[in-house]
Amino acid sequence: MSDGALQTPASRDGNAAIRVAAGIRDAIEHGDLAPGSRLRQEEIAERFGASRVPVREALKALEAEGLVTLVANAGAWVSRLTLSECEEVYQTRERLEPLLLRYSAPRLTPSDLDQLEGLATEMTVHDDVGEFLRLDRAFHMLSYSRADTLMLGDLVERLWNATQPYRRAYTMLADADTRRIMHDEHHLIVVALRDGDVEGAERTVASHIRRTRRLLARHPEVFSPG
């Protein structure tokens, strides 16, 4: 684990396990810890000034989120998908996220829709991959945020976590035309939601996810061990 992979918070106040989990999560989301990276408890404990107990709790929490894989008596790694596994996750997302949007759409407020439009516009002016991914996630999670579901919302969030490194790879692989279509789809989702066209918004979300899956399938090298 490189010195820059995990940033040590300036303060040790608060719950140590939450603090450690947040640091690891941030490193994964920003691409500092690649899929398959080994997470050594002693290194994490030293970096965060924490004991082994909160480190273990943090890793278990991240496993529940789908970001970390724990193997009994072996250790912990940043979760990694094979190409076929990634296709399965994306096909699941293609079907579940339109349904989650259907639950959420009628409850989205005018303020929510204004925020979605602002996020869609802001994404078009960012060249930084990390910032784009942050805005993109904020956009989609906001669009789903009004859904009152028993398990669907949590499941979708876990699927997003599992594909986080591959969303980054897709963004870096996308050419100018693909990026333009991506931005257009964000705006189309907002327009459909404003018009009360939930089915149109669902179709656009499904197409949005499908495009990512198809591009990643053309780049199997993304799934090779680093």
Side-chain angles (χ1 to χ4, degrees):
M1 185 182 300
S2 67
D3 289 342
L6 295 177
Q7 298 299 315
T8 307
S11 172
R12 296 185 180 183
D13 296 336
N15 186 292
I18 293 175
R19 179 165 53 83
V20 172
I24 297 173
R25 188 185 299 110
D26 184 71
I28 294 171
E29 290 179 355
H30 285 82
D32 296 322
L33 288 172
S37 297
R38 181 74 181 269
L39 298 170
R40 301 183 186 278
Q41 290 190 24
E42 61 275 13
E43 292 181 9
I44 297 171
E46 181 180 359
R47 181 168 297 278
F48 286 94
S51 68
R52 295 287 187 89
V53 172
V55 170
R56 285 196 295 269
E57 291 175 355
L59 292 174
K60 287 179 181 178
L62 293 170
E63 181 187 36
E65 294 178 18
L67 290 170
V68 167
T69 298
L70 298 179
V71 180
N73 303 316
W77 289 263
V78 177
S79 295
R80 182 173 67 200
L81 299 176
T82 64
L83 174 56
S84 63
E85 289 169 341
C86 192
E87 288 197 319
E88 178 184 339
V89 173
Y90 268 99
Q91 288 194 36
T92 303
R93 285 184 54 193
E94 283 175 45
R95 288 152 179 81
L96 293 187
E97 289 186 42
L99 177 60
L100 185 58
L101 184 61
R102 174 168 289 272
Y103 279 114
S104 178
R107 302 182 181 206
L108 290 169
T109 67
S111 176
D112 291 333
L113 296 174
D114 288 344
Q115 289 182 59
L116 286 170
E117 187 171 337
L119 287 165
T121 299
E122 193 175 354
M123 273 184 272
T124 66
V125 299
H126 275 287
D127 293 327
D128 179 72
V129 172
E131 183 63 9
F132 169 81
L133 291 172
R134 184 189 70 79
L135 294 167
D136 180 61
R137 183 174 183 127
F139 176 92
H140 290 285
M141 291 301 109
L142 176 58
S143 76
Y144 305 144
S145 65
R146 299 296 181 180
D148 183 13
T149 61
L150 177 64
M151 61 182 71
L152 184 57
D154 289 341
L155 177 55
V156 165
E157 187 167 2
R158 181 180 172 87
L159 293 173
W160 266 72
N161 289 339
T163 56
Q164 173 66 26
Y166 308 101
R167 291 176 56 243
R168 174 175 289 275
Y170 167 77
T171 303
M172 297 177 71
L173 289 166
D175 59 20
D177 286 340
T178 300
R179 289 194 296 272
R180 177 182 52 77
I181 293 170
M182 188 191 322
H183 293 316
D184 287 347
E185 285 174 336
H186 287 139
H187 287 288
L188 285 171
I189 291 169
V190 178
V191 170
L193 291 172
R194 284 197 188 278
D195 289 346
D197 182 8
V198 179
E199 289 185 357
E202 288 182 273
R203 286 193 297 271
T204 304
V205 167
S207 175
H208 195 63
I209 299 167
R210 187 179 308 117
R211 183 169 291 100
T212 305
R213 173 174 61 83
R214 291 172 64 86
L215 178 60
L216 288 172
R218 296 198 294 271
H219 291 274
E221 70 277 4
V222 168
F223 303 90
S224 301

